[in-house]
Amino acid sequence: MQICCVKTHKVISTENLQFSYPNGGVQLRFPDISLDKGEELLILGKSGIGKTTLLHLLAGLLKPDSGFIKINDTTTQSLSNRKMDRFRGENIGIVFQRMHTIPSLTVIETLKLRLYLAKKKKPYTHLDTILKQLNLSTHKNHRVTELSTGQLQRLGIACAVIHSPSLILADEPTSSLDDDHCNQSIELLKSQAKQSQSNLIIITHDTRITAAFDTIITL
Amino acid sequence: MNIFLLAIKNSTSKMLSTSLSCILLALSIGLLLFISQINKALDHQLQNNFAGIDMVVGAKGSPLQLVLSSVFHIDNPTGNITYDEYTKLKKHPWTKEVVPISLGDNYNGYRIIGTTANFASLYKTTLEKGKNATNPMEVVLGSQVAEQSKLTLGDKIHGTHGLLANQEGGKHEEHMMIVVGIYQSTGKVIDRLITTPLETIWMLHHEDTEDGHTDHEEQHHDPHKEEHHSYEEEHHNLHEEEHHSHKGETHIKEVTALLVSFRNPRALLMLPRHINDTTGTMAALPKFEMDKLTQTTGIGTQTIQWIAYIILGISVLSIFIHLYKTIKERSYELALMRTYGASRWQLVQLVGYEGILITTLGLLLGILCSQIGLSIMFTVIENQYKQSITTIHLYIDIIQVSLILALVISIVILFAMYPITKMDISKILSHEN
């Protein structure tokens, strides 16, 4: 009971998370995470240690074998698939290592679809603001297939923050970037997270960015 | 932005694959509708023109030719028979009605039929204006003749020897026929016929034969063409020669065929055989002859129908491949949408809409194609055979095809969507490359 009350203060908390893939393999155990509103976290780990697995667990794309994940007082692993889809859409934004897109859409259409699927109604001026901040305004009506890697990365960030989620998860957002772009992108992520008052969790093996974070968990 | 819009954008971004599926589908739907409508229209045209004629009696020859020439007015007659046959058959207790017809002339390709007043009642038509032709050289026009030739009451026309327009037959220049009536439109063969009393034909032709120099007959006696003459034609010649031999003595009144309706079903079994065995004339049953004919031509239309079904099968398969490929190739895209908050159902909708879009477009295009094809075909038929045919219950065909298509396509969409339900987003997303 007491534990429960302590947990409610936290926006995001996990406890005793364990997961193993169905085709055998080792049992993965993850350290507990507990973040207050607006807090940032960097999770460092080498390849193959289960970083992406942890991110997918947090995003509700995988379900843990044991332990629990709480986001905004919702124990996500107990949600049905449909409710989880909805919850994810509304409360979580994910930045992927490489931004994959829907090639038939333009930049602005991608963001509109993102909002539609998250079931959030935001004025389109809001979209313009974000595009401006991410330096994508001039490419607003370009097909996503015409964008450069850097632009795609920024679009990925826009997609993750546009609906002001409680939690932004970033999976290796800097691994394919040079030092300059690496810092730029982390700054962008941090500023966008702050703006939408979201918690930011970055999962990476890239030690270049450790300096930018106060809280670091090493797997 | 919503799922439907996304489906449209996805379809248009893969124009080649989408349009291939569409065109294949349109082709098969178009062919199916076209064949079905042509079949129905011709069948309707046939049924319509039987007009209660149970039996046709004419000169010996091909029974099919006799039926075509005297019931549908599209072939040459087999020859002539004497007027006596008419009076004999008319008295027969089993016949309800016997209408004699006499062919041989046309006006701009519209056949001039020498007959009695009963002819119009066979086709259940009445005069729209004017009066019945009771005197020789008076004619009553079918509605289509009047409309197409812009003729009205009191107009005078020249008949031309032969049955086709512009044939090198002699014009009956000296004999003017006067239009005294116009029949109401029936959609049957009478619409494109010009009817006149039997006496008109007799008058025209007796004078011709007395001259003995019409082109028509010269043609028959052309020695170069002799070897090509069919049995019927030879028979016709014999008949005519016979007629010539008589002509000096008395004018033997002749008719081309007798249209008979029975009083009694027994007649159907007995009368044709009786006539064929005991008289010099031939009896043919229109329904029987046409059934034989459609059985033969049916193979052709059936083949086309099968081809259409095969194309339909291929097009359905191409839609399946299109959708299945979409799902396979875009698994990352679909997984991404799931992380954006899309439910499985929304992804299913996305793919379903794409399938429905292609199908609907193909269907509409197919209907359009069949309509264009049919209107071209009907115009050709109308110009060449002076038969006005129209589509019959087209909407039933369209509904039928649409229902079949809807069923097939929903099954296809279901199969193609199966992978979505089995999709492991986490796995797809972690294997980004």
Side-chain angles (χ1 to χ4, degrees), chain A residues 56 85 100 104 109 114, chain B residues 9-10 332 336 338 340 426:
Chain A
H56 286 185
D85 286 334
H100 282 255
S104 56
E109 283 167 348
R114 175 70 180 104
Chain B
K9 293 207 175 272
N10 278 347
Y332 196 95
L336 193 72
R338 287 289 298 279
Y340 286 174
S426 168

Side-chain angles (χ1 to χ4, degrees), chain B residues 246-308:
Chain B
H246 282 294
K247 84 180 173 191
E249 300 145 30
T250 45
H251 292 313
I252 291 194
K253 291 196 218 165
E254 285 189 327
V255 293
T256 309
L258 306 174
L259 310 176
V260 184
S261 59
F262 296 140
R263 188 180 294 284
N264 176 327
R266 209 156 37 136
L268 182 72
L269 298 170
M270 315 284 284
L271 207 50
R273 183 179 290 177
H274 175 76
I275 291 171
N276 287 335
D277 289 350
T278 61
T279 67
T281 58
M282 176 181 66
L285 302 168
K287 283 207 170 77
F288 177 71
E289 294 302 328
M290 292 327 286
D291 279 353
K292 266 203 316 199
L293 182 68
T294 44
Q295 260 172 24
T296 323
T297 56
I299 296 170
T301 56
Q302 223 157 43
T303 310
I304 298 175
Q305 208 156 21
W306 276 112
I307 293 172

Side-chain angles (χ1 to χ4, degrees), chain A residues 143-176:
Chain A
R143 281 273 185 107
V144 289
T145 45
E146 297 165 17
L147 299 184
S148 68
T149 320
Q151 286 164 339
L152 273 176
Q153 177 89 27
R154 295 206 292 278
L155 178 60
I157 294 173
C159 281
V161 302
I162 192 86
H163 58 300
S164 312
S166 326
L167 176 61
I168 298 170
L169 294 168
D171 186 10
E172 305 273 14
T174 56
S175 62
S176 56

Side-chain angles (χ1 to χ4, degrees), chain B residues 354-405:
Chain B
E354 244 182 274
I356 291 166
L357 235 119
I358 294 173
T359 313
T360 314
L361 251 148
L363 180 67
L364 291 178
L365 206 67
I367 293 172
L368 190 76
C369 285
S370 72
Q371 285 309 288
I372 294 170
L374 282 172
S375 67
I376 293 172
M377 190 74 181
F378 287 170
T379 321
V380 168
I381 289 177
E382 215 168 313
N383 288 341
Q384 229 161 38
Y385 300 99
K386 308 267 184 232
Q387 301 261 6
S388 65
I389 58 177
T390 49
T391 56
I392 295 146
H393 299 318
L394 179 66
Y395 66 96
I396 292 183
D397 278 354
I398 292 176
I399 291 171
Q400 239 171 18
V401 168
S402 309
L403 283 180
I404 294 173
L405 201 62

